[in-house]
């Protein structure tokens, strides 16, 4: 396959696209609830350390491979391996990434579908005056209704694949340029609102005062997995975006900007959500239902509740939309590389992900008690193993490829950070990111 000619039209478009990929369920839904389950500030501290030491350098590694290869992830890896005189088997790493994004997108689309359902309910004021027990029961009833779950999952996936089918400049770029600024605006409004509630101070204390006794290998593994998940690293999805990067743009600066923007969203969302939770005396360790049960309960009898709640779900929906188009892109790019037209490739990916997603839909009703692997049902499986194990493993291999296998000159040019910047980056990847990922992976899995 020849080089792709598609490009983000500006540097800003590239940064917005990668930020759109990074900011999603991970920041607004997953970060608050796993932080809640894992003791608050300790988790936050670990996650920030992993973002700095692993996420950032590995994100650069992943994008630079795409930029240097200018092909789909699988073909870029094969092409660059050939150039370096290394085994062409490296291209299978691209397929492993595609498998990972398939798994992630399948559950991602289902949970994002919940935000459509809840946005509509919040706008209708359905939660007003209802008790916590009633709201909890409504959520359980929704989960147990495969019809409604399927409808929302299908709708969300169609929204995603339509944008992807429209192409890089007309689809992906336009959506990101439109939604990302809106998302930040919404988040600032919500955080501003949170600062006026009684729960603001307890929320800050919960998020920023660590209890170091809570650190265990499993908490570390989860924090590491989350760093990869939130930055969208390890699945070759950013590699696909890197292939469309403009010629003259500093990758390292762009990546640092994205990481800062991403962590800011998680923190603001965390502060906003926990303020409301604490203001109402609710439990921060509620789990995956945190956003879907606790928040509606918290807002049920607050003045302006339906408005604020609608804004939260709108925020979630916009954020997940720009991430899911990134999740779909590598597979579409690979199929295009195999000769399919973009629209056909998007349709094929959409259908396969939809079918896989149905297993997650049914995991809340007929398949709830099924134990597919490790005692987990399909939803539990795809929402934990790919983010916590496949992403770090993929990131590890990507980093090894970029820092040890690729010809030095090629990676230096693609990183575009000057000779010193390149040396610092490579030393960090070789001697910190790779060993640390390996240690945490092994410690967490044993
Ligand atoms: N970063 C996204 C989030 O935080 O929701 C999830 C994600 C997107 C993970 C793309 C992996 C990926 F390749």
């Amino acid at each position: 396959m020849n080089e792709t000619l598609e490009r983000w039209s500006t540097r800003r478009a590239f940064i917005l696209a990668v930020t759109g990929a990074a900011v999603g369920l991970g920041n607004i839904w997953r970060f608050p609830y796993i932080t809640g389950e894992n003791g608050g500030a300790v988790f936050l501290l670990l996650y920030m350390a992993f973002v700095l030491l692993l996420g950032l350098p590995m994100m650069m590694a992943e994008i630079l491979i795409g930029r240097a290869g200018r092909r789909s992830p699988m073909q870029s890896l094969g092409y660059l391996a050939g150039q370096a005189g290394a085994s062409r088997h490296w291209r299978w790493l691209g397929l492993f990434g595609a498998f990972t994004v398939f798994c992630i997108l399948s559950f991602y689309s289902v949970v994002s579908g919940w935000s459509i359902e809840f946005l509509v309910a919040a706008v209708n004021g359905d939660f007003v005056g209802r008790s916590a027990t009633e709201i909890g029961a409504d959520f359980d009833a929704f989960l147990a209704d495969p019809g409604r779950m399927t409808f929302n999952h299908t709708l969300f996936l169609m929204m995603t694949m339509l944008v992807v089918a429209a192409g890089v400049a007309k689809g992906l770029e336009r959506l990101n340029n439109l939604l990302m600024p809106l998302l930040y605006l919404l988040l600032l409004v919500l955080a501003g609102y949170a600062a006026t509630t009684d729960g603001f101070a307890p929320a800050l204390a919960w998020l920023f005062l660590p209890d170091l006794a809570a650190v265990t290998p499993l908490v570390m593994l989860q924090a590491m997995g989350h760093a990869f998940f939130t930055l969208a690293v390890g699945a070759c999805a950013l590699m696909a975006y890197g292939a469309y990067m403009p010629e003259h743009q500093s990758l390292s600066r762009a990546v640092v900007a994205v990481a800062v923007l991403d962590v800011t969203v998680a923190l603001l969302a965390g502060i906003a959500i926990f303020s409301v939770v604490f203001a109402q005396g609710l439990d921060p360790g509620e789990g995956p239902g945190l956003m879907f049960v606790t928040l509606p309960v918290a807002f049920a009898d607050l003045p302006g509740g339906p408005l604020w709640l609608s804004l939260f779900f709108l925020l979630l929906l916009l954020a997940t939309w720009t991430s899911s188009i990134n999740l779909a892109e590598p597979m579409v790019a690979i199929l295009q590389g195999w000769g399919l037209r973009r629209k056909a490739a998007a349709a094929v990916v959409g259908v396969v992900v939809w079918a896989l997603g149905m297993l997650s839909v049914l995991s809340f009703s007929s398949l709830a008690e099924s134990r597919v692997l490790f005692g987990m049902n399909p939803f539990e499986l795809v929402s934990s193993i790919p983010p916590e194990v496949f992403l770090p493993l993929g990131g590890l291999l990507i980093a090894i490829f970029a820092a040890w296998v690729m010809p030095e000159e090629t990676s230096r040019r693609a990183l575009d950070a000057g000779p010193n910047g390149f040396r610092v980056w490579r030393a960090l990847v070789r001697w910190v990111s790779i060993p640390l990922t390996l240690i945490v992976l092994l410690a967490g899995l044993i």
Side-chain angles (χ1 to χ4, degrees):
M1 180 208 181
N2 294 329
E3 285 193 11
T4 171
L5 297 175
E6 303 239 45
R7 293 286 182 278
W8 305 109
S9 58
T10 58
R11 294 176 201 180
R12 181 168 163 270
F14 171 72
I15 295 184
L16 284 184
V18 181
T19 311
V23 174
L25 279 183
N27 308 61
I28 301 169
W29 169 70
R30 201 168 188 270
F31 169 74
Y33 93 73
I34 51 175
T35 306
E37 284 179 339
N38 289 305
V42 176
F43 188 82
L44 176 67
L45 213 64
L46 282 172
Y47 146 80
M48 297 269 246
F50 288 135
V51 164
L52 273 180
L53 298 175
L54 312 178
L56 271 177
M58 288 191 171
M59 206 170 167
M60 294 179 199
E62 183 169 335
I63 299 175
L64 80 78
I65 296 175
R67 187 186 212 181
R70 294 261 185 236
R71 289 161 173 80
S72 81
M74 208 179 162
Q75 285 136 345
S76 287
L77 285 161
Y79 167 77
L80 293 170
Q83 208 185 48
S87 163
R88 311 251 318 168
H89 286 313
W90 275 102
R91 70 181 187 284
W92 300 115
L93 174 56
L95 208 59
F96 175 63
F99 174 67
T100 307
V101 291
F102 256 119
C103 297
I104 294 182
L105 188 53
S106 75
F107 87 82
Y108 209 88
S109 163
V110 173
V111 178
S112 304
W114 301 353
S115 59
I116 302 182
E117 175 89 10
F118 276 69
L119 174 60
V120 174
V123 170
N124 283 338
D126 288 356
F127 301 106
V128 177
R130 296 183 63 79
S131 71
T133 331
E134 286 169 331
I135 291 177
D138 286 349
F139 184 56
D140 291 340
F142 165 64
L143 293 182
D145 182 343
R148 275 156 80 199
M149 292 265 284
T150 306
F151 175 78
N152 289 301
H153 161 54
T154 312
L155 186 63
F156 182 80
L157 207 54
M158 275 168 56
M159 284 164 53
T160 299
M161 298 323 294
L162 279 177
V163 177
V164 175
V168 177
K170 284 207 204 111
L172 309 177
E173 180 168 327
R174 259 206 224 155
L175 189 79
N176 283 312
N177 283 353
L178 190 74
L179 296 192
M180 293 313 289
L182 187 63
L183 188 141
Y184 276 89
L185 190 72
L186 274 179
L187 196 59
L188 284 177
V189 171
L190 284 169
Y193 165 75
T196 67
T197 64
D198 296 342
F200 188 60
L204 291 186
W206 160 259
L207 275 172
F208 296 109
L209 298 178
D211 161 20
L212 291 178
V215 180
T216 65
L218 208 61
V219 171
M220 287 188 57
L221 183 71
Q222 278 196 315
M224 177 172 84
H226 190 69
F228 281 92
F229 185 79
T230 188
L231 293 176
V233 172
C236 301
L238 291 182
M239 199 184 285
Y241 273 15
Y244 317 132
M245 221 182 142
E247 305 299 335
H248 302 288
Q249 175 164 18
S250 157
L251 202 168
S252 47
R253 249 186 270 153
V255 164
V256 171
V258 171
V260 170
L261 287 168
D262 184 68
V263 172
T264 313
V265 174
L267 288 179
L268 287 177
I271 291 172
I273 291 177
F274 288 124
S275 296
V276 179
V277 167
F278 286 125
Q280 300 294 91
L282 299 168
D283 175 17
E286 164 73 32
L290 184 65
M291 186 141 194
F292 294 97
V293 177
T294 316
L295 276 190
V297 170
F299 279 115
D301 45 28
L302 282 184
L307 172 71
W308 295 112
L309 194 59
S310 308
L311 290 184
F312 259 111
F313 288 120
L314 182 64
L315 179 74
L316 187 63
L317 183 61
L318 301 187
T320 54
W321 198 5
T322 54
S323 295
S324 63
I325 57 176
N326 174 245
L327 282 162
E329 184 61 23
M331 208 45 231
V332 169
I334 288 178
L335 291 181
Q336 269 188 298
W338 288 343
L340 242 62
R341 293 220 328 277
R342 190 169 184 92
K343 288 191 172 53
V348 172
V349 172
V351 169
V352 178
V353 172
W354 182 85
L356 202 59
M358 284 309 292
L359 293 176
S360 282
V361 164
L362 297 175
S363 298
F364 294 91
S365 43
S366 47
L367 296 181
E369 298 309 319
S370 67
R371 301 282 165 254
V372 192
L373 211 60
F374 309 125
M376 293 190 257
N377 69 30
F379 176 80
E380 290 163 347
L381 198 67
V382 286
S383 63
S384 61
I385 305 290
E388 279 156 30
V389 182
F390 292 179
L391 288 182
L393 195 60
L396 186 69
L397 294 170
I398 289 169
I400 293 176
F401 186 81
W404 290 104
V405 179
M406 264 172 83
E408 186 176 324
E409 180 51 32
T410 316
S411 38
R412 183 186 305 132
R413 217 174 323 116
L415 186 66
D416 200 0
N420 288 334
F422 175 75
R423 250 178 261 131
V424 171
W425 166 79
R426 197 175 59 176
L428 201 62
V429 172
R430 283 186 170 178
W431 311 116
V432 181
S433 314
I434 294 176
L436 192 59
T437 308
L438 210 66
I439 291 170
V440 180
L441 254 181
L442 290 177
L445 291 180
I446 293 169

